[in-house]
């Protein structure tokens, strides 16, 4: 069972799509080359990037290994009237379900660090490169584990939202180990006066920026640029828990 089985519905509540779109849409407009027409989201989760990029006019497909996340993605895309092909596959083996190459491949929202070892990370990156046309662009967004480990905060800011149907609150408690970081996500979801409590556990490989840089190059990408936010501030210019890698398949 993957960490997202059962968690998918709560994960989707955790993400405010409107706020996220405000933060990320301009980034994609700036970074995607004019000639790019097709995008593959290799960890599509509940479908946020598939929906946004499809609405921005790109031909979009999504891959994810979690049946539960894909089920929520299908519902989210249908609710927006979007037709996007989604595939259930492991990113490292996704060639078996793809029947075309893409101008852009994505891995957003701290997904690649689910790969537990350097070898798995390299396989995932090589598979992403294989899905690209020559000269295609690869965008990877994840936590900056160097910054997270430096601060070593046990609790990170929680989300609270009240709306017509009820309310939800999320608190993150982080356990830091040498080769693994564990996000314990505590949620309280209230619907019509009844509250449900859950603790979801998601584990990541706290891969450093330096190691990612090396692996991205080893996977055969070129012209790597590293940013620390969606405004394209170069990495290291300010404190941030985000890191974004942008690289290209050889032309
Ligand atoms: C933190 S979620 C992020 C989802 C989405 N990218 C977003 O930003 O909202 C990570 C996603 O990666 C998927 N995932 C983890 N390991 C995977 C793998 N080896 N192959 C494909 N998907 C994977 C999980 O099922 C989950 O949907």
């Amino acid at each position: 069972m993957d960490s997202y089985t059962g968690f998918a519905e709560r994960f989707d509540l955790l993400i405010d799509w409107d706020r996220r779109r405000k933060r990320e849409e301009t980034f994609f407009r700036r970074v995607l080359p004019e000639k790019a027409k097709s995008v593959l989201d290799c960890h599509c989760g509940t479908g946020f990037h598939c929906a946004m990029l499809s609405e921005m006019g790109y031909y979009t497909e999504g891959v994810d290994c979690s049946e539960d996340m894909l089920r929520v993605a299908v519902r989210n895309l249908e609710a927006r009237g979007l037709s996007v092909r989604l595939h259930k596959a492991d990113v490292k083996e996704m060639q078996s379900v793809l029947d075309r190459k893409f101008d852009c491949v994505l891995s957003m929202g701290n997904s690649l660090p689910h790969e537990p070892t350097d070898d798995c990370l390299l396989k995932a990156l090589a598979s992403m490169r294989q899905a690209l046309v020559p000269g295609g662009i690869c965008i990877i967004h994840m936590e900056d584990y160097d910054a997270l480990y430096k601060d070593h905060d046990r609790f990170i800011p929680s989300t609270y939202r009240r709306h017509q149907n009820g309310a939800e609150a999320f608190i993150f408690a982080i356990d830091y180990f040498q080769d693994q970081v564990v996000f314990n996500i505590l949620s309280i979801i209230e619907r019509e006066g009844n509250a449900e409590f859950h603790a979801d556990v998601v584990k990541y490989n706290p891969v450093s920026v330096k190691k990612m840089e090396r692996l991205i190059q080893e996977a055969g990408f070129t012209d790597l640029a590293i940013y620390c936010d969606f405004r394209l501030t170069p990495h290291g210019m300010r404190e941030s828990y985000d890191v974004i890698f942008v690289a290209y398949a050889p032309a």
Side-chain angles (χ1 to χ4, degrees):
M1 200 167 79
D2 69 78
S3 342
Y4 292 88
T5 301
F7 176 41
E9 297 287 346
R10 291 185 285 283
F11 177 88
D12 204 43
L13 289 175
L14 194 53
I15 309 281
D16 180 330
W17 280 37
D18 292 337
R19 264 183 58 190
R20 199 175 187 189
R21 186 159 180 162
K22 271 196 197 112
R23 197 167 81 122
E24 295 188 24
E25 183 171 345
T26 312
F27 163 81
F28 282 103
R29 288 201 191 284
R30 286 178 69 185
V31 93
L32 286 177
E34 212 168 301
K35 62 175 196 261
K37 302 279 179 261
S38 57
V39 179
L40 175 68
D41 184 353
C42 303
H43 297 94
C44 70
T46 58
F48 169 79
H49 293 94
C50 286
M52 180 180 73
L53 289 154
S54 175
E55 284 168 355
M56 286 166 69
Y58 294 96
Y59 172 78
T60 309
E61 293 189 22
V63 165
D64 202 283
C65 66
S66 160
E67 205 144 316
D68 278 20
M69 293 296 265
L70 286 168
R71 187 159 0 95
V72 180
V74 168
R75 193 182 66 207
N76 283 334
L77 292 161
E78 277 178 5
R80 283 164 179 75
L82 298 168
S83 151
V84 174
R85 276 184 82 190
L86 299 178
H87 310 274
K88 182 179 179 319
D90 185 309
V91 62
K92 300 184 286 305
E93 287 147 21
M94 65 183 174
Q95 312 312 320
S96 62
V97 296
L98 301 176
D99 54 16
R100 56 166 292 158
K101 305 267 182 196
F102 294 83
D103 300 318
C104 170
V105 293
L106 296 182
S107 170
M108 304 298 289
N110 200 30
S111 301
L112 256 185
H114 281 302
E115 298 298 341
T117 63
D118 292 4
D119 190 42
C120 290
L121 279 167
L122 189 57
K123 280 195 180 120
L125 288 164
S127 170
M128 289 173 73
R129 189 174 72 81
Q130 227 185 311
L132 277 176
V133 298
I137 181 171
C138 169
I139 303 170
I140 297 165
H141 165 238
M142 53 182 256
E143 293 284 328
D144 184 334
Y145 290 105
D146 303 329
L148 214 60
Y149 269 66
K150 183 168 141 273
D151 292 350
H152 233 267
D153 281 336
R154 173 88 170 106
F155 297 105
I156 60 170
S158 45
T159 307
Y160 175 75
R161 256 194 315 271
R162 174 159 286 287
H163 46 80
Q164 265 186 339
N165 311 335
E168 48 269 351
F170 294 92
I171 300 168
F172 288 76
I174 307 180
D175 290 318
Y176 298 88
F177 303 103
Q178 200 184 332
D179 298 319
Q180 193 176 64
V181 58
V182 180
F183 284 33
N184 304 282
I185 304 155
L186 315 172
S187 57
I188 307 168
I189 299 170
E190 186 205 290
R191 291 289 177 270
E192 287 154 14
N194 300 313
E196 268 185 31
F197 297 79
H198 292 274
D200 294 291
V201 177
V202 187
K203 295 173 183 169
Y204 296 97
N205 169 1
V207 55
S208 67
V209 173
K210 268 253 153 316
K211 187 182 276 184
M212 276 300 292
E213 200 175 337
R214 175 171 64 71
L215 292 170
I216 288 169
Q217 276 153 359
E218 242 176 83
F221 289 103
T222 62
D223 299 310
L224 172 64
I226 311 177
Y227 305 101
C228 65
D229 58 33
F230 289 102
R231 284 168 291 170
L232 297 177
T233 307
H235 178 256
M237 292 285 280
R238 67 171 197 86
E239 306 241 310
S240 163
Y241 288 152
D242 289 305
V243 58
I244 304 163
F245 302 89
V246 177
Y248 298 83

